[in-house]
Amino acid sequence: MRVTMILPALTEATSPLFRPIKYSLFPPLGLATLAGYLRPDDEVRIWDEHVERLRLDEDRPDLAVIQPYITSARRAYALADGYRARGVHVAMGGLHVTSLPEEAARHADTIFVGPGEDTWPAFLGDLRRGEPKARYTSRTRTLQNLPPVRRDLIQRHRYLVPNSIVVSRGCPHHCDFCYKDAFFEGGRSFYTQAVDDALAEIERLPGRHLYFLDDHLLGNRRFAEALFAGMAGMGRVWQAAGTVDSVLAPDLLERAVGAGLRSLFVGFESVNDANLPAQRKRQNIGRDYGAVVRRLHDLGVMVNASFVFGMDGDGPDVFDRTVDWAVGQGIETATFHIMTPYPGTGLYRRMLAQQRIRHSDWDLYDTRHVVFEPAGMTDRQLEDGYWRAYRRFYRWSAIWRGAATHQRSRDRLRHLGYAGGWKKFEPLWDLVIRTGQVTRALPLLETVLDLTSGRGSRSAQRATRPSAAAPVA
Ligand code: B12
Ligand code: SF4
């Protein structure tokens, strides 16, 4: 069987003028995971429109597999329509399809609702027998006995972070604005690989650097402890995401650092305590955010802080307050978002009931545009404030001020290198991407990440691997 798998891009990512580095960070891991279920004699290719031009006219496979995110849905549907017009069977799945199956079904022969580990192999069997169904809905949630991810189909040289990896699905929490509950509805919403399988996948990855794309790598303590114990001594440096409560949990972060954690994405979401209960962000309520940052920094872990603007408790002062706090804490990088009600989420239902959704132009659901009616400010104030926050946080004076908060000179240097490197040299990154040299920058990233006093590694030596740790969650 001939199969083409496509990750479509939003327009900005394909611009001939300027392409932000974030679109050349990670390969299409979801598609490479699905490709693992194909047979060795199937002829398969993965096209990632973020990094290459698609050659559609010549392409007439037996099956086209397309993965739309909300911002690329329009492009995904156009590609799907084109393939169907050429008589190709089109399959679509993933987060956006699960949120809006009826919309996606208008452009596909088969759609998948929820994660694909059970439904995708069932579909492939049906298709080979000539009996594909129009819709498959996931019921069985497990990461046991997965075929290996087809990393051989990934063009590693096109990505700064070719070693992205996921060892779990979902998260134990239920934040109102998050896509997670909608995607995993009808089954378990947090489950992990067997620790030995995760370690084997890590062993297969060349080089030192890893980026865990798991929603919450620290979400299952037993799994995380066993994973970190298994990774200790591998000499990896890695980045991941975790919640504020997991950072404060005793002795878990130490083990992560001992296994090579050097930077953590943390969802602080809001410096306004009043916003948290409405967003069901229970794991953040009453937590001392300053203590979270200090604990990470004390262990040599850089912080990538995520903030959402436009919650109902936010007024026009929220932007400066957030940036001042983040800079004052010495947070190295920050990601700001305008609150965006994704279809399928609790937030979307609430906004819809209050008639506050402005439109369904998914292109603009990119967390940079206001798509709902804010309570505490105008649309203009919200969008301007969002852009101002980025400018203020990443101006050199703020980067210097943030770096100066660190006690150790290596941490100050690392702050400057990392924050400056990401945001101050975007045109240089653009050039590096266009000349196909992006992987050459990986050793630099590894060096900057590893500029740490390494205090945490000692604690990890103490960590032992629990014996009954294999299948967890
Ligand atoms: C890495 C990442 C990115 C990367 C690159 C994406 C890539 N190369 O895949 C970058 C940095 C470019 C990025 C950018 C953005 N992202 Co992003 N990103 C992610 C992240 C953290 C991980 C994605 C991933 O690799 N997951 C691991 C793989 C294994 O899972 P998967 O891709 O979902 O695939 C599995 C299933 O979905 C299913 N499946 C998927 N497709 C199909 C198809 C078929 C036929 C079948 C059967 C099954 C199936 O099976 C797969 C294997 O298990 C997710 C969060 C998350 N946890 O998923 C957000 C996420 C996908 N991003 C999101 C958003 C909003 C964005 C941005 C708009 C944010 C912004 N302001 O810039 C942009 C624009 C994206 C675009 N191009 O349109 C949202 C999407 C919401 C939605 N409803 O679509 C997410 C969920 C985060 C969130 N806030 O909720 N992102
Ligand atoms: S902690 Fe993060 S991944 Fe988990 S539900 Fe909340 S926003 Fe979603």
Side-chain angles (χ1 to χ4, degrees):
M1 185 162 67
R2 283 169 304 133
V3 185
T4 299
M5 310 184 101
I6 301 181
L7 185 67
L10 70 179
T11 318
E12 178 192 60
T14 58
S15 164
L17 302 174
F18 176 72
R19 208 164 42 177
I21 175 68
K22 70 175 178 179
Y23 299 117
S24 299
L25 289 180
F26 304 111
L29 191 58
L31 294 177
T33 305
L34 297 174
Y37 293 87
L38 293 165
R39 288 183 189 157
D41 59 341
D42 288 329
E43 206 180 292
V44 51
R45 65 175 151 209
I46 295 181
W47 274 342
D48 178 359
E49 201 177 17
H50 297 87
V51 297
E52 64 190 313
R53 264 189 202 290
L54 310 183
R55 298 176 304 281
L56 296 170
D57 289 344
E58 311 143 29
D59 195 38
R60 279 185 176 63
D62 303 304
L63 173 65
V65 182
I66 302 178
Q67 177 178 10
Y69 291 129
I70 189 162
T71 44
S72 59
R74 197 152 61 116
R75 173 70 177 148
Y77 297 154
L79 291 173
D81 294 345
Y83 274 108
R84 292 179 85 198
R86 296 197 291 279
V88 176
H89 189 101
V90 170
M92 281 203 278
L95 306 170
H96 187 67
V97 173
T98 302
S99 303
L100 294 171
E102 315 308 334
E103 176 189 287
R106 290 199 289 274
H107 306 274
D109 299 292
T110 302
I111 57 158
F112 295 82
V113 176
E117 285 83 18
D118 55 344
T119 50
W120 173 242
F123 159 75
L124 287 175
D126 292 348
L127 184 70
R128 290 185 203 280
R129 280 194 306 279
E131 299 163 2
K133 298 187 185 65
R135 180 192 288 226
Y136 292 79
T137 302
S138 154
R139 300 266 174 251
T140 313
R141 306 284 159 82
T142 175
L143 296 177
Q144 308 299 321
N145 307 316
L146 292 189
V149 178
R150 287 287 304 274
R151 292 184 184 269
D152 56 305
L153 298 171
I154 288 173
Q155 303 177 57
R156 290 178 61 86
H157 66 282
R158 293 187 185 273
Y159 301 98
L160 178 61
V161 184
N163 287 348
S164 60
I165 176 168
V166 271
V167 294
S168 63
R169 294 284 189 275
C171 157
H173 301 296
H174 304 280
C175 307
D176 209 37
F177 55 79
C178 183
Y179 79 96
K180 192 216 83 166
D181 281 344
F183 186 60
F184 291 97
E185 202 184 318
R188 289 201 296 174
S189 65
F190 182 44
Y191 45 106
T192 69
Q193 281 189 342
V195 174
D196 287 338
D197 291 346
L199 291 172
E201 173 74 2
I202 292 168
E203 292 277 16
R204 280 194 286 271
L205 295 171
R208 287 189 76 204
H209 181 254
L210 303 176
Y211 203 119
F212 287 95
L213 289 174
D214 301 69
D215 284 329
H216 183 7
L217 187 65
L218 310 175
N220 177 326
R221 189 178 180 114
R222 199 154 67 94
F223 171 77
E225 282 183 358
L227 183 76
F228 302 152
M231 288 179 72
M234 282 187 183
R236 297 286 189 172
V237 287
W238 49 273
Q239 301 172 255
T243 55
V244 296
D245 60 329
S246 67
V247 169
L248 294 172
D251 201 34
L252 185 55
L253 194 63
E254 284 79 356
R255 291 168 191 254
V257 174
L261 173 67
R262 295 292 179 266
S263 141
L264 193 72
F265 177 98
V266 182
F268 291 103
E269 321 301 10
S270 181
V271 294
N272 273 340
D273 292 349
N275 281 327
L276 298 173
Q279 296 299 337
R280 300 204 301 159
K281 196 87 199 172
R282 298 206 179 97
Q283 67 276 22
N284 288 35
I285 295 173
R287 306 287 177 178
D288 178 349
Y289 282 5
V292 172
V293 179
R294 277 193 303 281
R295 186 159 152 67
L296 286 160
H297 282 164
D298 283 350
L299 286 163
V301 180
M302 287 191 289
V303 184
N304 181 4
S306 174
F307 298 100
V308 179
F309 295 134
M311 294 178 183
D312 285 357
D314 287 346
D317 64 329
V318 70
F319 311 102
D320 289 353
R321 281 179 52 209
T322 305
V323 171
D324 291 344
W325 180 80
V327 172
Q329 296 292 322
I331 284 174
E332 285 84 355
T333 49
T335 319
F336 302 107
H337 311 270
I338 292 177
M339 186 168 78
T340 302
Y342 294 127
T345 60
L347 176 65
Y348 186 84
R349 285 191 292 278
R350 189 152 50 88
M351 290 280 162
L352 205 58
Q354 294 170 2
Q355 300 187 333
R356 292 169 64 189
I357 298 287
R358 292 224 194 275
H359 59 74
S360 306
D361 182 352
W362 307 137
D363 289 14
L364 300 180
Y365 277 59
D366 60 358
T367 78
R368 292 183 289 189
H369 293 88
V370 178
V371 300
F372 70 103
E373 188 184 325
M377 61 190 118
T378 63
D379 293 20
R380 188 65 191 266
Q381 282 173 316
L382 182 47
E383 284 190 11
D384 287 353
Y386 160 82
W387 288 110
R388 193 171 72 250
Y390 262 117
R391 279 195 305 276
R392 288 191 68 230
F393 184 81
Y394 282 109
R395 63 188 178 201
W396 273 119
S397 58
I399 293 176
W400 283 105
R401 210 150 31 94
T405 63
H406 300 289
Q407 301 292 319
R408 297 170 294 217
S409 53
R410 294 188 119 202
D411 293 344
R412 288 198 287 272
L413 187 64
R414 188 170 67 154
H415 186 129
L416 288 173
Y418 194 71
W422 277 137
K423 282 289 169 183
K424 289 297 182 190
F425 300 106
E426 285 259 21
L428 187 63
W429 281 119
D430 190 43
L431 184 72
V432 168
I433 295 163
R434 277 172 206 287
T435 50
Q437 305 294 315
V438 75
T439 28
R440 286 179 189 261
L442 185 56
L444 183 66
L445 174 65
E446 288 173 351
T447 307
V448 172
L449 283 174
D450 221 13
L451 270 178
T452 174
S453 56
R455 274 202 225 173
S457 53
R458 283 195 297 277
S459 344
Q461 307 300 327
R462 299 197 308 266
T464 50
R465 193 163 166 200
S467 52
V472 186

